[in-house]
Amino acid sequence: MAGRRFVGCRRFARRDHDTAARGPPRRGLEGWGTALAWFANVTGGWPAADRERLADLLYGPGGLGFTIARYNIGGGDAPETKPYLRTGAAVPGFWRRPMGATGNDWWRPDREEMWDWSADSAQRWWLDAIKARARAPIFEAFSNSPPWFMTISGKVSGAEKATDDNLRPGQEGLFAAYMARVVDELQRRHGIAFRTLSPVNEPNTDYWHAANTQEGAHWSPQRQAAMIVATAATLRARGLKTTISAPDETNSHVFLRDWAGYPAEARAAIGQLNVHSYGSLHQTGVRDVARASGIRLWMSENDTPLDKDPEDFDSLDSALAFAEHVVMDLKRLEPSAWVFWQAVEDLSTRNGAGGSNWGLIKADLRAEPSAAHPLHVTLKYWVMAQFSRHIRPGYRLAPVDDLDTVAALSPDGDELVLVHVNGGLSPRRLVTPPGWSGRMFLTDRVHRDAPIQGAIAPPRSVVTLVLRADARPGSQKPVRNERPRRMGAPG
């Protein structure tokens, strides 16, 4: 045995986790989820059996048990634009151009004939599927780009120059009206609630340009602030309870740059802070902004396959890299939610390419809707299960004395969940805190979130310890020995 890892915290022995927590009281974890862009735009049009199975894998009680979904409000290119966006990325917009309209100043949000509420039926199928599966689901709407006629370039992929803003000057109010009306209508038509709306995405970057293959738009911090204020005002004017989430920046370093550029009015309009974790620099800075502002923080987008790791559904290298990233996000950001990028990715080994290991599930997203749709459940899916199946909504992140371990306590304090990543080549004996005992679940090359005996993490593995507080002499509170029903393996 190479050595022992003490993965608990001795203060848990007293079960006084409230007074032991460092800093202000921690928010309960709201859950795990995924953005629906862009896989939902494809898979929502599959035959019922195929799309239902996929929804079960992600949101069903026998799957990952996701409870959060980020719905992409498409901007939409002009109908005459030659297709250029990547598979699934051409999310339809809800506008309708009247016959004979020319230029880009024809759209009027108060004219009903300029809206198309039949649009985006495939992604909208997922709203109903999630509502049917998840208990108390949380929906967020987000935009990657304004519609083409509100842009300077006339394309939803970005400005001609990647560092130029693409929203036409003075169009903030129209774009806000577009997003707010979509939120309002979809809530009513699908019987759901969008708790938040994110009007910009990875805004202060050089990712988005006209030759790009997905929707995107650059926004300077000043233009972001104007868009945030305009959208918040429009939501209020419509009587919606939906609040603003922002800035959905690509990493914490750029998030802090954006935040520094916001005036007080823009900061006050934000109900939720969103940050992506494509980079680990200054994550504790974002955490501190959230704490000081008293605003809920989400890690709202990430997928971390190992760089240059060729496509392999059972790649342990990418799975371990992903697990380590989740652990460190939770420890440094202390977010209220952790949301995957798109959980389903297209097969990527076409035409001799080595491919990559983005996604939790791989499928042929280019196949005809009526074709067979084999689903390739990857090892990353099972690593995700080590977190999402066991750390459930309402559990609170807790201090833990090991860099490779994240901990969470149940709302009643009687269950402690520890997820440990052993990326090394030797087994580790995990020493749990006094007064706790339970079971361990393992994912490695052979096991898939499988219950096993003992507390030894094999080499190159991810393990989850689900511990219950032991009965103590003189305790007035009974300790329930039964484990809540664990979610079974997906079919």
Side-chain angles (χ1 to χ4, degrees):
M1 189 65 59
R4 300 189 303 170
R5 286 293 183 101
F6 186 78
V7 298
C9 185
R10 287 183 177 85
R11 60 175 61 91
F12 286 137
R14 301 195 308 272
R15 297 175 65 196
D16 56 348
H17 50 86
D18 288 323
T19 58
R22 302 167 187 151
R26 300 180 180 216
R27 297 177 184 269
L29 192 71
E30 296 190 297
W32 312 82
T34 182
L36 300 181
W38 302 293
F39 75 90
N41 186 31
V42 176
T43 60
W46 282 359
D50 294 335
R51 64 188 183 184
E52 294 282 356
R53 183 188 173 218
L54 185 55
D56 286 342
L57 282 167
L58 299 178
Y59 288 91
L64 294 178
F66 281 172
T67 57
I68 294 171
R70 302 188 73 226
Y71 175 86
N72 181 204
I73 299 177
D77 273 310
E80 61 271 17
T81 301
K82 183 179 178 181
Y84 67 100
L85 299 178
R86 59 169 286 180
T87 302
V91 179
F94 288 93
W95 48 267
R96 178 184 284 117
R97 183 171 60 182
M99 186 74 67
T102 59
N104 53 15
D105 289 319
W106 45 266
W107 190 70
R108 299 291 182 273
D110 57 343
R111 293 177 57 179
E112 201 60 35
E113 68 271 19
M114 292 192 180
W115 292 94
D116 179 6
W117 299 117
S118 67
D120 201 22
S121 59
Q123 187 181 191
R124 288 167 63 180
W125 177 87
W126 277 88
L127 298 177
D128 298 327
I130 293 164
K131 177 185 173 184
R133 287 166 172 79
R135 182 179 181 182
I138 300 173
F139 292 100
E140 176 172 76
F142 75 101
S143 166
N144 287 323
S145 171
W148 68 273
F149 50 86
M150 297 183 192
T151 68
I152 294 172
S153 68
K155 299 182 74 174
V156 295
S157 51
E160 294 297 331
K161 185 179 178 182
T163 53
D164 287 348
D165 294 348
N166 201 30
L167 182 73
R168 293 165 53 206
Q171 294 283 301
E172 285 84 1
L174 279 180
F175 185 32
Y178 174 73
M179 291 186 290
R181 178 70 190 277
V182 172
V183 164
D184 198 359
E185 283 292 327
L186 296 191
Q187 287 187 151
R188 182 176 64 82
R189 291 169 183 265
H190 293 272
I192 63 170
F194 286 108
R195 192 176 70 179
T196 49
L197 166 63
S198 175
V200 299
N201 176 67
E202 298 187 337
N204 196 10
T205 65
D206 60 358
Y207 300 164
W208 319 120
H209 52 87
N212 194 21
T213 59
Q214 63 190 70
E215 287 194 349
H218 182 275
W219 302 79
S220 68
Q222 294 73 26
R223 293 295 299 279
Q224 291 176 46
M227 195 67 242
I228 288 166
V229 170
T231 307
T234 304
L235 290 170
R236 289 194 302 270
R238 293 195 69 88
L240 298 177
K241 296 180 180 179
T242 306
T243 59
I244 298 295
S245 54
D248 262 309
E249 195 52 88
T250 187
N251 57 44
S252 292
H253 175 68
V254 185
F255 173 104
L256 293 174
R257 186 185 304 158
D258 293 349
W259 183 256
Y262 290 173
E265 184 183 16
R267 293 184 180 185
I270 296 172
Q272 177 176 295
L273 295 170
N274 281 7
V275 68
H276 304 176
S277 63
Y278 298 111
S280 58
L281 188 65
H282 300 330
Q283 286 187 306
T284 54
V286 172
R287 177 203 65 193
D288 291 346
V289 165
R291 284 182 176 182
S293 305
I295 304 175
R296 180 178 58 243
L297 172 65
W298 274 17
M299 198 307 292
S300 55
E301 182 186 316
N302 184 261
D303 184 1
T304 312
L306 190 68
D307 187 39
K308 297 182 175 62
D309 190 21
E311 184 172 81
D312 177 359
F313 307 141
D314 296 316
S315 171
L316 188 57
D317 291 334
S318 279
L320 289 172
F322 171 65
E324 289 184 359
H325 194 99
V326 175
V327 166
M328 295 312 297
D329 278 357
L330 295 177
K331 292 172 82 73
R332 291 184 293 221
L333 286 170
E334 299 178 16
S336 294
W338 200 98
V339 184
F340 201 82
W341 171 221
Q342 62 163 3
V344 184
E345 286 277 356
D346 191 24
L347 294 172
S348 57
T349 55
R350 295 182 173 88
N351 303 318
S356 63
N357 290 306
W358 287 76
L360 302 175
I361 298 170
K362 289 292 188 87
D364 185 357
L365 298 183
R366 303 184 195 181
E368 291 296 322
S370 59
H373 299 288
L375 300 178
H376 305 281
V377 177
T378 72
L379 199 59
K380 276 174 65 183
Y381 174 96
W382 292 106
V383 164
M384 184 79 256
Q386 296 283 148
F387 295 91
S388 64
R389 284 184 169 190
H390 304 287
I391 301 177
R392 299 301 299 156
Y395 282 48
R396 292 194 302 162
L397 297 176
V400 64
D401 294 343
D402 180 69
L403 188 64
D404 296 320
T405 306
V406 67
L409 277 162
S410 63
D412 62 8
D414 285 342
E415 183 167 273
L416 171 63
V417 178
L418 299 154
V419 183
H420 176 80
V421 182
N422 181 5
L425 303 179
S426 301
R428 295 174 180 171
R429 183 181 298 279
L430 306 180
V431 182
T432 57
W436 298 81
S437 59
R439 295 189 293 172
M440 187 165 78
F441 299 84
L442 168 67
T443 291
D444 59 9
R445 286 200 180 277
V446 177
H447 302 86
R448 303 291 185 267
D449 189 35
I452 62 170
Q453 297 296 319
I456 297 175
R460 292 171 58 76
S461 69
V462 181
V463 298
T464 302
L465 291 91
V466 181
L467 308 176
R468 302 289 294 180
D470 297 333
R472 298 172 295 130
S475 174
Q476 299 300 310
K477 185 176 182 179
V479 176
R480 298 187 298 274
N481 292 319
E482 75 275 11
R483 165 95 172 101
R485 183 178 67 85
R486 193 180 75 85
M487 290 180 276

